[in-house]
Amino acid sequence: MKKVMLAIALMLGVIGANAQESTGDLFEGLTKKVTYDRMIPSYGLEVSYDKTTHIIFPSAVRYVDLGSPNLIAGKADGAENVIRVKATVKNFRTETNISVITESGSFYTFNVKYADEPLLLNIEMKDFIHDGSTVNRPNNALDVYLQELGSESPKLVHLIMKSIHKNNNREVKHIGAKSFGIQYLLRGLYTHNGLLYFHTQIKNSSNVPYDIDFITFKIVDKKVAKRTAIQEQVIFPLRAYNYAVRVAGNKDERTIFTMEKFTIPEDKQLVVELHEKSGGRHQSFIIENEDIVRARVINELKVK
């Protein structure tokens, strides 16, 4: 019995000694090593204390993270898709990084070092979203899902809007308004993966340009003559493709609006209002719930 206990003690001692020995790896135990095919390559970026570096992205910037207090960054005033970067101290020696997420759902990463005279001060990231070519997509731009779009990829939302605009089919022919030489139409209503897409058109048959002040989507009571703010529910678009601010004389413009899926109660209706800036040629049309539930399902994209 003593020999058995002694043998067990020796075994436990050997196991304990082996457990205490380090292999020298950063991670030990049940940890799977990240392989190089999972790595997101970074761009090299130089910054200076005396000069500002600007980076222009294909879409609005939603998130910026700085790896060190040696850097300062922020959106350029009046530009949602441009960030400016500077060094907060001169000649910092340690390399750091910047991570950026854009509204298109793309993730970018940069390795940053200090330079008195940066080689590149103004950088434009490749607009692979708008040129329609997947081969132009940079290796470090990955899909990021944004909360307001639910389970839909921002890139797919953009491609759907682009496809609707490019195909320019008129699926809806009974909804619109016309007065003072201005016609405002709903050309199509589509749905895909919990989102609605409204294809609208503004036609200006007059010689006077039409400057757009704002467009509103409101669910209102059908039988209320004088509407109040309490009786209105404003629906805010999540995205807009080719949003026009001016329609020249004898020209037209088309815009695609993306919204979260909704339906309309029986006693209410959706009113879409177009307001002219410094003018009175306002337009509005009504969309019923039966129009919403008959929205065409998008199953195939045709984008060249």
Side-chain angles (χ1 to χ4, degrees):
M1 184 66 179
K2 290 182 177 179
K3 292 182 178 180
V4 174
M5 296 296 293
L6 181 59
I8 293 174
L10 289 172
M11 291 176 61
L12 291 174
V14 171
I15 294 172
N18 290 335
Q20 292 176 0
E21 291 181 1
S22 174
T23 62
D25 292 338
L26 183 61
F27 298 104
E28 297 179 5
L30 299 177
T31 303
K32 186 176 180 179
K33 189 174 182 179
V34 178
T35 55
Y36 281 102
D37 62 323
R38 300 294 182 183
M39 182 182 69
I40 305 172
S42 299
Y43 285 105
L45 185 67
E46 295 178 334
V47 297
S48 174
Y49 183 83
D50 297 312
K51 294 184 178 181
T52 301
T53 300
H54 287 86
I55 309 174
I56 305 170
F57 293 91
S59 58
V61 174
R62 295 286 296 269
Y63 167 90
V64 178
D65 180 76
L66 304 178
S68 167
N70 292 331
L71 299 177
I72 185 172
K75 290 184 183 179
D77 295 339
E80 291 293 315
N81 67 319
V82 180
I83 64 170
R84 56 180 186 266
V85 187
K86 290 188 72 171
T88 57
V89 295
K90 291 185 176 182
N91 299 311
F92 66 81
R93 294 184 179 181
T94 305
E95 185 178 285
T96 184
N97 71 320
I98 297 176
S99 298
V100 176
I101 296 176
T102 64
E103 194 173 79
S104 64
S106 297
F107 175 82
Y108 299 87
T109 178
F110 303 84
N111 285 334
V112 186
K113 66 179 182 179
Y114 186 89
D116 287 325
E117 295 292 338
L119 182 63
L120 303 175
L121 282 176
N122 303 301
I123 302 167
E124 182 180 13
M125 306 309 296
K126 180 64 179 178
D127 194 351
F128 63 93
I129 295 174
H130 297 109
D131 64 13
S133 176
T134 57
V135 298
N136 289 328
R137 176 175 174 169
N139 291 329
N140 71 340
L142 299 183
D143 287 340
V144 177
Y145 287 77
L146 304 179
Q147 184 176 5
E148 71 266 20
L149 296 180
S151 60
E152 193 73 293
S153 163
K155 287 189 182 65
L156 183 57
V157 171
H158 178 88
L159 288 175
I160 289 175
M161 292 190 295
K162 181 178 180 179
S163 174
I164 294 171
H165 189 272
K166 184 177 181 65
N167 294 332
N168 193 21
N169 296 325
R170 187 172 182 184
E171 305 288 346
V172 177
K173 300 180 180 180
H174 65 285
I175 299 177
K178 183 178 181 181
S179 61
F180 308 112
I182 303 299
Q183 190 174 14
Y184 193 34
L185 301 172
L186 179 68
R187 293 183 62 86
L189 185 53
Y190 306 85
T191 182
H192 184 270
N193 201 15
L195 296 176
L196 292 171
Y197 298 85
F198 293 77
H199 181 190
T200 64
Q201 181 179 32
I202 305 172
K203 291 183 178 181
N204 183 4
S205 59
S206 73
N207 296 324
V208 180
Y210 188 91
D211 293 311
I212 299 169
D213 192 5
F214 59 89
I215 298 173
T216 59
F217 294 78
K218 299 185 294 185
I219 296 178
V220 302
D221 292 335
K222 288 182 178 180
K223 297 182 179 180
V224 175
K226 187 177 181 181
R227 304 186 181 103
T228 65
I230 298 177
Q231 295 159 341
E232 297 178 350
Q233 177 188 351
V234 179
I235 307 295
F236 295 98
L238 303 175
R239 295 287 189 278
Y241 181 88
N242 193 49
Y243 185 82
V245 295
R246 165 175 279 204
V247 182
N250 298 298
K251 298 291 184 179
D252 69 275
E253 292 286 350
R254 293 180 294 109
T255 302
I256 316 299
F257 294 99
T258 302
M259 300 185 187
E260 187 176 359
K261 176 184 66 69
F262 65 90
T263 55
I264 308 171
E266 186 177 355
D267 59 340
K268 296 181 182 293
Q269 59 193 6
L270 177 66
V271 177
V272 183
E273 296 178 337
L274 169 69
H275 291 258
E276 182 182 17
K277 183 183 295 183
S278 302
R281 297 179 292 177
H282 310 314
Q283 305 291 320
S284 68
F285 56 73
I286 293 172
I287 300 175
E288 303 283 355
N289 189 59
E290 62 184 62
D291 301 309
I292 299 291
V293 298
R294 290 177 182 173
R296 182 177 177 181
V297 178
I298 297 175
N299 293 318
E300 184 178 345
L301 287 176
K302 296 181 180 179
V303 181
K304 295 183 180 180

